[in-house]
């Protein structure tokens, strides 16, 4: 049974930083690409960025240079380091992994950036 559990969200002022964590279980973590998505109120869920098993990252243009995705295979955990946060980064952030034909999501963690 695949489980993804996010943590680390909260309220932060514009310009501040937060680090989100996603602990995975039920998968061979080191062999999987992981991704972070976010969904702001009234908007569609969008890709923030991803990290392959080989360490290759990709990011949405809106977060490039500010956000960094990393992983610790020993802890089965993927991280999203967010710097220089903006009010438009306010959203629920979700961890994601695809296993064969199935998509798995965490429960989400709220990030609110005040101006």
């Amino acid at each position: 049974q695949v489980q993804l559990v996010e943590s680390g969200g909260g309220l932060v002022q514009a310009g501040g930083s937060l680090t989100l964590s996603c602990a995975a279980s039920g998968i061979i973590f080191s062999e999987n690409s992981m991704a972070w998505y976010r969904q702001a109120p009234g908007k569609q869920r969008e890709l923030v960025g991803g990290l392959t098993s080989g360490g290759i990252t990709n990011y949405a243009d809106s977060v490039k240079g500010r956000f960094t995705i990393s992983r610790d295979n020993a802890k089965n955990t993927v991280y999203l380091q967010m710097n220089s946060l903006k009010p438009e980064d306010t959203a629920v952030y979700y961890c994601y992994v695809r296993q064969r034909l199935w998509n798995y999501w965490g429960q989400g963690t709220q990030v609110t950036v005040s101006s």
Side-chain angles (χ1 to χ4, degrees), residues 53-75:
S53 58
I56 298 173
T57 54
N58 67 283
Y59 299 97
D61 287 344
S62 58
V63 306
K64 276 182 185 176
R66 301 188 298 122
F67 289 13
T68 303
I69 299 175
S70 61
R71 64 194 299 157
D72 185 337
N73 289 338
K75 295 182 178 180

Side-chain angles (χ1 to χ4, degrees), residues 3-114:
Q3 282 194 317
L4 303 172
V5 179
E6 301 100 335
S7 60
L11 174 63
V12 64
Q13 288 189 332
S17 298
L18 276 177
T19 299
L20 307 183
S21 301
C22 170
S25 60
I27 61 173
I28 304 175
F29 182 78
S30 61
E31 296 181 358
N32 280 274
S33 297
M34 303 296 296
W36 286 95
Y37 283 76
R38 68 185 181 186
Q39 187 166 19
K43 295 188 177 182
Q44 289 189 332
R45 193 170 296 189
E46 64 175 3
L47 176 68
V48 174
L51 173 60
T52 69
S53 58
I56 298 173
T57 54
N58 67 283
Y59 299 97
D61 287 344
S62 58
V63 306
K64 276 182 185 176
R66 301 188 298 122
F67 289 13
T68 303
I69 299 175
S70 61
R71 64 194 299 157
D72 185 337
N73 289 338
K75 295 182 178 180
N76 286 5
T77 299
V78 61
Y79 303 97
L80 178 64
Q81 171 70 43
M82 305 184 292
N83 299 324
S84 303
L85 282 161
K86 305 175 182 180
E88 51 263 43
D89 294 319
T90 294
V92 178
Y93 284 71
Y94 297 91
C95 184
Y96 167 86
V97 68
R98 182 173 177 86
Q99 287 282 280
R100 297 182 180 87
L101 299 179
W102 299 97
N103 299 317
Y104 293 94
W105 302 90
Q107 82 286 357
T109 186
Q110 176 71 46
V111 172
T112 302
V113 184
S114 63

